[in-house]
Tab-separated table of all heavy atoms in Angstrom:
chain	number	residue	atom	x	y	z
A	1	GLY	N	-0.958	-8.667	-19.309
A	1	GLY	CA	-1.770	-9.566	-18.609
A	1	GLY	C	-2.685	-8.929	-17.657
A	1	GLY	O	-2.310	-7.780	-17.093
A	2	GLN	N	-3.788	-9.403	-17.484
A	2	GLN	CA	-4.780	-8.920	-16.577
A	2	GLN	C	-5.309	-9.954	-15.554
A	2	GLN	O	-4.901	-11.160	-15.848
A	2	GLN	CB	-6.069	-8.305	-17.228
A	2	GLN	CG	-5.694	-7.133	-18.160
A	2	GLN	CD	-5.583	-5.820	-17.474
A	2	GLN	OE1	-5.947	-5.753	-16.341
A	2	GLN	NE2	-5.108	-4.806	-18.150
A	3	GLY	N	-6.064	-9.685	-14.556
A	3	GLY	CA	-6.497	-10.534	-13.673
A	3	GLY	C	-6.669	-10.044	-12.256
A	3	GLY	O	-6.354	-8.848	-11.980
A	4	ALA	N	-7.180	-10.897	-11.352
A	4	ALA	CA	-7.421	-10.398	-10.053
A	4	ALA	C	-6.294	-9.987	-9.289
A	4	ALA	O	-6.209	-9.170	-8.341
A	4	ALA	CB	-8.207	-11.534	-9.266
A	5	TRP	N	-5.092	-10.573	-9.674
A	5	TRP	CA	-3.771	-10.247	-9.025
A	5	TRP	C	-3.509	-8.714	-9.207
A	5	TRP	O	-2.845	-8.125	-8.206
A	5	TRP	CB	-2.688	-11.075	-9.711
A	5	TRP	CG	-2.332	-10.649	-11.124
A	5	TRP	CD1	-2.846	-11.202	-12.197
A	5	TRP	CD2	-1.398	-9.674	-11.485
A	5	TRP	NE1	-2.312	-10.641	-13.298
A	5	TRP	CE2	-1.451	-9.661	-12.888
A	5	TRP	CE3	-0.597	-8.814	-10.833
A	5	TRP	CZ2	-0.619	-8.752	-13.675
A	5	TRP	CZ3	0.213	-7.898	-11.621
A	5	TRP	CH2	0.270	-7.953	-13.000
A	6	VAL	N	-3.952	-8.075	-10.220
A	6	VAL	CA	-3.730	-6.638	-10.373
A	6	VAL	C	-4.358	-5.886	-9.247
A	6	VAL	O	-3.762	-5.010	-8.624
A	6	VAL	CB	-4.381	-6.117	-11.741
A	6	VAL	CG1	-4.285	-4.568	-11.771
A	6	VAL	CG2	-3.519	-6.780	-12.845
A	7	TRP	N	-5.530	-6.131	-8.902
A	7	TRP	CA	-6.201	-5.361	-7.839
A	7	TRP	C	-5.704	-5.818	-6.507
A	7	TRP	O	-5.698	-5.053	-5.504
A	7	TRP	CB	-7.744	-5.560	-7.956
A	7	TRP	CG	-8.158	-5.067	-9.338
A	7	TRP	CD1	-8.740	-5.902	-10.290
A	7	TRP	CD2	-8.246	-3.825	-9.836
A	7	TRP	NE1	-8.980	-5.123	-11.426
A	7	TRP	CE2	-8.705	-3.812	-11.113
A	7	TRP	CE3	-7.737	-2.587	-9.312
A	7	TRP	CZ2	-8.772	-2.769	-11.938
A	7	TRP	CZ3	-7.912	-1.366	-10.073
A	7	TRP	CH2	-8.439	-1.452	-11.307
A	8	ALA	N	-5.280	-7.041	-6.354
A	8	ALA	CA	-4.684	-7.488	-5.053
A	8	ALA	C	-3.412	-6.820	-4.772
A	8	ALA	O	-3.170	-6.351	-3.699
A	8	ALA	CB	-4.497	-9.106	-5.193
A	9	ALA	N	-2.532	-6.646	-5.924
A	9	ALA	CA	-1.306	-5.843	-5.646
A	9	ALA	C	-1.597	-4.433	-5.403
A	9	ALA	O	-0.905	-3.934	-4.471
A	9	ALA	CB	-0.509	-5.999	-6.933
A	10	LEU	N	-2.475	-3.817	-6.049
A	10	LEU	CA	-2.724	-2.400	-5.756
A	10	LEU	C	-3.345	-2.202	-4.386
A	10	LEU	O	-2.997	-1.267	-3.618
A	10	LEU	CB	-3.772	-1.818	-6.819
A	10	LEU	CG	-3.192	-1.774	-8.232
A	10	LEU	CD1	-4.186	-1.260	-9.284
A	10	LEU	CD2	-1.863	-0.924	-8.333
A	11	ALA	N	-4.217	-3.091	-3.974
A	11	ALA	CA	-4.751	-3.092	-2.628
A	11	ALA	C	-3.727	-3.273	-1.519
A	11	ALA	O	-3.768	-2.624	-0.551
A	11	ALA	CB	-5.879	-4.125	-2.485
A	12	GLY	N	-2.859	-4.201	-1.811
A	12	GLY	CA	-1.731	-4.368	-0.850
A	12	GLY	C	-0.849	-3.148	-0.741
A	12	GLY	O	-0.366	-2.841	0.393
A	13	TYR	N	-0.589	-2.501	-1.757
A	13	TYR	CA	0.216	-1.297	-1.824
A	13	TYR	C	-0.431	-0.236	-1.027
A	13	TYR	O	0.158	0.482	-0.229
A	13	TYR	CB	0.554	-0.828	-3.280
A	13	TYR	CG	1.465	0.312	-3.363
A	13	TYR	CD1	2.691	0.224	-2.844
A	13	TYR	CD2	1.144	1.528	-3.902
A	13	TYR	CE1	3.703	1.306	-3.049
A	13	TYR	CE2	1.985	2.544	-4.153
A	13	TYR	CZ	3.244	2.404	-3.629
A	13	TYR	OH	4.191	3.465	-3.759
A	14	ALA	N	-1.716	-0.050	-1.299
A	14	ALA	CA	-2.521	0.985	-0.502
A	14	ALA	C	-2.640	0.567	0.984
A	14	ALA	O	-2.427	1.528	1.842
A	14	ALA	CB	-3.919	1.072	-1.092
A	15	ALA	N	-2.779	-0.614	1.317
A	15	ALA	CA	-2.774	-1.063	2.714
A	15	ALA	C	-1.464	-0.718	3.427
A	15	ALA	O	-1.445	-0.335	4.583
A	15	ALA	CB	-3.120	-2.467	2.748
A	16	ALA	N	-0.369	-1.005	2.614
A	16	ALA	CA	1.048	-0.707	3.259
A	16	ALA	C	1.163	0.754	3.520
A	16	ALA	O	1.701	1.162	4.443
A	16	ALA	CB	2.050	-1.223	2.226
A	17	ALA	N	0.748	1.598	2.522
A	17	ALA	CA	0.732	3.064	2.769
A	17	ALA	C	-0.055	3.521	4.007
A	17	ALA	O	0.424	4.263	4.758
A	17	ALA	CB	0.223	3.773	1.472
A	18	TRP	N	-1.240	2.917	4.149
A	18	TRP	CA	-2.030	3.225	5.377
A	18	TRP	C	-1.400	2.829	6.684
A	18	TRP	O	-1.317	3.531	7.566
A	18	TRP	CB	-3.378	2.558	5.222
A	18	TRP	CG	-4.303	2.757	6.413
A	18	TRP	CD1	-4.571	1.933	7.442
A	18	TRP	CD2	-4.972	4.024	6.767
A	18	TRP	NE1	-5.437	2.460	8.378
A	18	TRP	CE2	-5.705	3.798	7.941
A	18	TRP	CE3	-5.211	5.255	6.058
A	18	TRP	CZ2	-6.566	4.736	8.538
A	18	TRP	CZ3	-5.970	6.171	6.657
A	18	TRP	CH2	-6.673	5.890	7.831
A	19	THR	N	-0.810	1.621	6.598
A	19	THR	CA	-0.125	1.125	7.776
A	19	THR	C	1.065	2.049	8.241
A	19	THR	O	1.376	2.208	9.426
A	19	THR	CB	0.449	-0.356	7.439
A	19	THR	OG1	-0.717	-1.073	7.222
A	19	THR	CG2	1.073	-0.902	8.748
A	20	LEU	N	1.781	2.564	7.234
A	20	LEU	CA	3.051	3.327	7.518
A	20	LEU	C	2.734	4.837	7.560
A	20	LEU	O	3.657	5.635	7.545
A	20	LEU	CB	4.035	3.082	6.377
A	20	LEU	CG	4.610	1.574	6.322
A	20	LEU	CD1	5.533	1.488	5.079
A	20	LEU	CD2	5.216	1.297	7.631
A	21	ARG	N	1.473	5.206	7.601
A	21	ARG	CA	1.193	6.694	7.501
A	21	ARG	C	1.722	7.494	8.656
A	21	ARG	O	1.951	8.705	8.480
A	21	ARG	CB	-0.378	6.795	7.557
A	21	ARG	CG	-1.130	6.461	8.762
A	21	ARG	CD	-2.578	6.454	8.611
A	21	ARG	NE	-3.387	6.166	9.901
A	21	ARG	CZ	-3.478	4.968	10.375
A	21	ARG	NH1	-2.937	3.924	9.779
A	21	ARG	NH2	-4.140	4.792	11.549
A	22	ARG	N	2.041	6.881	9.800
A	22	ARG	CA	2.642	7.626	10.917
A	22	ARG	C	4.149	7.386	10.988
A	22	ARG	O	4.742	7.754	12.061
A	22	ARG	CB	1.928	7.231	12.200
A	22	ARG	CG	0.398	7.555	12.236
A	22	ARG	CD	-0.186	7.335	13.525
A	22	ARG	NE	-1.631	7.366	13.452
A	22	ARG	CZ	-2.314	8.591	13.426
A	22	ARG	NH1	-1.627	9.789	13.467
A	22	ARG	NH2	-3.657	8.594	13.428
A	23	ARG	N	4.724	6.712	10.000
A	23	ARG	CA	6.153	6.533	10.067
A	23	ARG	C	6.733	7.157	8.745
A	23	ARG	O	6.860	6.616	7.720
A	23	ARG	CB	6.451	4.977	10.017
A	23	ARG	CG	5.899	4.306	11.352
A	23	ARG	CD	5.928	2.817	11.193
A	23	ARG	NE	7.337	2.194	11.092
A	23	ARG	CZ	7.550	1.016	10.987
A	23	ARG	NH1	6.580	0.108	10.976
A	23	ARG	NH2	8.820	0.585	10.964
A	24	PRO	N	7.080	8.442	8.931
A	24	PRO	CA	7.333	9.323	7.673
A	24	PRO	C	8.459	8.701	6.807
A	24	PRO	O	8.299	8.777	5.609
A	24	PRO	CB	7.822	10.626	8.224
A	24	PRO	CG	7.161	10.646	9.646
A	24	PRO	CD	7.210	9.214	10.074
A	25	ARG	N	9.596	8.175	7.349
A	25	ARG	CA	10.650	7.771	6.466
A	25	ARG	C	10.269	6.566	5.643
A	25	ARG	O	10.528	6.389	4.461
A	25	ARG	CB	11.882	7.475	7.279
A	25	ARG	CG	12.392	8.678	8.089
A	25	ARG	CD	13.665	8.257	8.925
A	25	ARG	NE	13.697	9.104	10.145
A	25	ARG	CZ	14.668	9.110	11.032
A	25	ARG	NH1	15.700	8.264	10.844
A	25	ARG	NH2	14.678	9.838	12.098
A	26	GLU	N	9.567	5.608	6.419
A	26	GLU	CA	9.070	4.366	5.631
A	26	GLU	C	8.106	4.732	4.698
A	26	GLU	O	7.984	4.149	3.522
A	26	GLU	CB	8.570	3.446	6.715
A	26	GLU	CG	9.566	2.754	7.626
A	26	GLU	CD	9.955	3.599	8.791
A	26	GLU	OE1	9.544	4.764	8.805
A	26	GLU	OE2	10.664	3.163	9.748
A	27	LEU	N	7.127	5.663	5.029
A	27	LEU	CA	6.119	6.057	4.039
A	27	LEU	C	6.711	6.626	2.831
A	27	LEU	O	6.285	6.372	1.679
A	27	LEU	CB	5.150	7.099	4.777
A	27	LEU	CG	4.060	7.533	3.783
A	27	LEU	CD1	3.175	6.364	3.312
A	27	LEU	CD2	3.196	8.576	4.548
């Protein structure tokens, strides 16, 4: 399946990685 949810999920994952960039264990 495809759809806008694909890019929303990937963007959310990237945003989480950016948020945790200074927390090594969580990252």
Side-chain angles (χ1 to χ4, degrees):
Q2 298 280 349
W5 67 270
V6 170
W7 303 112
L10 296 177
Y13 187 60
W18 176 259
T19 301
L20 298 176
R21 67 189 184 281
R22 301 188 187 281
R23 300 169 64 179
R25 299 180 212 183
E26 290 85 349
L27 179 61

